[in-house]
Amino acid sequence: MCVRLPDAVRTVGRSAFYQCVSLEIVRGSNVSVIEDGAFLGCTNLQCVVFPKVVTVGSNVFSNCSNLAGVEMPELRKTGNNVFDRCTALKSIDFPKLEYVNRSLFFKCDGLEFVHLPSARRVESDAFTMCSSLRDLYILAVEYVDGILSCTSLTSLDLQNAKELGNLGFGGTPLEYLVLSSSGDIICGEYTFANTLPAFDSGSGNR
């Protein structure tokens, strides 16, 4: 089933399509806000197109296990666990998102490519157990945590990072990590547990 929301709809309310398992495609040309759990458990949802969405709440697409296409180019703010266990997702491009909240992509084990050029913070478990993640672009990030057990991620550029959180990269087999060549960096507890990358200062010096 494909749902095209009327142009008059600006907000998709809390749990509006909760567990609508026949839903496959949703389009909303003028929607700017999607509230908590709006599409939670829509296990056959494959594609969402919201060109004007700015804010989405928590658990909006949690357990949408067939969700493969997400178009939200204006997204700036999210709640937690938005794409939790969206195992069919392959790539994400949110050019305006500034905060990657807790468990945002938790256990998205099909996710391979993520482009978040405006992200300043990556919170706990944001990418935990994204086992297929190979390309993570978060160059502007200042605080990073929650890149645990990303078993395909081997390199990362964090040259603007000022703080690395507790357990930040545990179990992720980083071979090469770029950090700032100037200023102090705060490193949390167990940040590199079970991984030992080669460090680069951003100037090509390891």
Side-chain angles (χ1 to χ4, degrees):
M1 178 184 293
C2 177
V3 172
R4 184 183 294 273
L5 299 174
D7 288 348
V9 176
R10 300 292 194 274
T11 299
V12 178
R14 181 170 181 163
S15 303
F17 295 92
Y18 174 74
Q19 290 189 349
C20 289
V21 295
S22 62
L23 189 61
E24 296 177 347
I25 300 173
V26 181
R27 299 177 183 272
S29 297
N30 288 325
V31 173
S32 60
V33 176
I34 304 176
E35 295 182 348
D36 294 354
F39 298 96
L40 192 156
C42 294
T43 53
N44 288 305
L45 184 62
Q46 299 170 21
C47 179
V48 295
V49 180
F50 294 106
K52 295 183 180 179
V53 158
V54 175
T55 302
V56 301
S58 296
N59 298 102
V60 168
F61 301 107
S62 289
N63 294 314
C64 292
S65 54
N66 281 296
L67 182 61
V70 177
E71 184 179 329
M72 295 191 292
E74 298 298 318
L75 185 64
R76 296 174 184 270
K77 183 179 179 181
T78 78
N80 301 323
N81 298 80
V82 175
F83 297 99
D84 185 345
R85 293 180 173 85
C86 290
T87 54
L89 273 179
K90 296 292 185 184
S91 65
I92 285 292
D93 186 3
F94 295 148
K96 297 183 179 181
L97 184 65
E98 295 187 359
Y99 298 98
V100 184
N101 279 342
R102 181 170 54 83
S103 301
L104 193 67
F105 298 102
F106 179 80
K107 213 170 184 179
C108 291
D109 53 21
L111 190 61
E112 298 177 359
F113 171 83
V114 175
H115 185 245
L116 304 171
S118 299
R120 304 292 179 186
R121 291 182 65 89
V122 175
E123 300 292 352
S124 62
D125 288 326
F127 295 100
T128 291
M129 299 179 73
C130 292
S131 57
S132 298
L133 185 60
R134 300 177 187 278
D135 193 345
L136 177 58
Y137 185 90
I138 49 173
L139 190 59
V141 78
E142 296 177 354
Y143 172 85
V144 60
D145 199 354
I147 306 179
L148 288 157
S149 299
C150 294
T151 52
S152 298
L153 188 64
T154 58
S155 65
L156 194 57
D157 191 337
L158 299 175
Q159 60 185 266
N160 292 301
K162 298 177 181 178
E163 183 174 357
L164 308 178
N166 298 335
L167 292 169
F169 305 96
T172 296
L174 289 173
E175 298 173 2
Y176 186 59
L177 178 64
V178 179
L179 295 173
S180 174
S181 59
S182 61
D184 295 331
I185 299 175
I186 299 172
C187 186
E189 298 178 0
Y190 300 100
T191 299
F192 297 103
N194 299 313
T195 185
L196 186 60
F199 293 97
D200 191 310
S201 66
S203 61
N205 298 315
R206 296 192 182 192

